[in-house]
Amino acid sequence: MEPAHEPPARVTRRRVRTRARLLDAAFAVFAAKGFGRATIEEVCEAAGFSRGAFYSNFATLDELFFALYRERAGLIAGQVADALAQDGPDLDVSASVDRVTEVLLLDVDWLLVKTDFLVRAARDPAVARALLDHRARLRAAVADRLARARGRTALPAVLGDADGAARAVVAAYDGVTTQLLLDRDVEAARAWLKQLLTALLTDGGRIPS
């Protein structure tokens, strides 16, 4: 008896496209209404699919929410890692800060969805663990890059070690994005983040009054 053949590649590609459309639709619906008010029907309608297409990819709206968060959070982590990797074995902190702030996703809709996730995490230990795990991985990636740098720019002693510097970077991003949620000024957020990170990591920047 011949072994069963794998499904055609086109089916796999179609499934990937369906999942991507559901994630994109969910992102728009969650940003507009908030996760707690969104329904599966609204996500399906926005994606142009039936409930059957939804359930062939996700068991629940919670599962889709987690998948969306992982996708967007992974994108941000990748942007930071790529920007920090371009100096080779050394790390030009000022140049890296410039690159990070130029490419980093600063999107109000994403921040609305992320805030929903944070509020849920404050009330649900399982969600909190997922969020803490992501933040730990992001900090670890930044800390590893800072620790391996052999130094064009020494880190300020007040930050302690590379892990302390990585925590400061993530905290700065959190603060700037909170302000962005209120004033919706993306360019101001990029400029502020650049100045803040430069000040934190080099002792050479000035925080504007």
Side-chain angles (χ1 to χ4, degrees):
M1 181 177 178
E2 293 185 358
H5 293 291
E6 292 294 324
R10 63 182 177 82
V11 174
T12 300
R13 289 196 297 269
R14 182 174 63 190
R15 184 180 180 86
V16 168
R17 288 195 299 268
T18 299
R19 182 181 175 87
R21 281 177 59 183
L22 284 167
L23 287 169
D24 287 344
F27 179 76
V29 172
F30 293 160
K33 297 195 65 175
F35 174 75
R37 297 181 178 180
T39 65
I40 290 175
E41 288 76 12
E42 288 170 329
V43 171
C44 291
E45 182 179 355
F49 291 133
S50 66
R51 288 175 64 94
F54 178 94
Y55 285 116
S56 69
N57 287 274
F58 303 102
T60 64
L61 204 58
D62 274 17
E63 184 181 323
L64 185 152
F65 190 50
F66 272 92
L68 176 63
Y69 183 84
R70 286 194 300 268
E71 178 190 68
R72 300 286 167 144
L75 171 63
I76 291 173
Q79 289 172 331
V80 173
D82 288 347
L84 292 176
Q86 292 182 31
D87 288 319
D90 292 323
L91 181 66
D92 184 334
V93 172
S94 295
S96 293
V97 166
D98 286 346
R99 288 194 300 270
V100 167
T101 52
E102 285 171 5
V103 304
L104 189 61
L105 179 67
L106 290 173
D107 177 75
V108 172
D109 284 346
W110 158 242
L111 296 175
L112 289 169
V113 174
K114 178 184 172 185
T115 300
D116 271 351
F117 203 87
L118 181 61
V119 171
R120 291 199 67 204
R123 296 185 173 94
D124 186 330
V127 180
R129 284 193 297 271
L131 182 57
L132 288 170
D133 177 66
H134 160 69
R135 291 171 70 83
R137 284 185 282 113
L138 177 59
R139 285 199 309 269
V142 175
D144 177 69
R145 187 66 187 95
L146 293 173
R148 288 188 294 110
R150 289 198 294 267
R152 299 178 188 174
T153 309
L155 294 173
V158 69
L159 294 177
D161 56 11
D163 184 65
R167 289 178 181 275
V169 168
V170 174
Y173 174 74
D174 286 343
V176 168
T177 53
T178 298
Q179 181 65 30
L180 177 58
L181 270 177
L182 300 176
D183 62 25
R184 308 296 180 103
D185 191 337
V186 174
E187 292 310 309
R190 288 194 191 282
W192 172 245
L193 185 60
K194 177 179 177 179
Q195 290 176 292
L196 185 55
L197 292 180
T198 300
L200 281 170
L201 297 178
T202 69
D203 274 340
R206 290 189 308 153
I207 298 178
S209 59

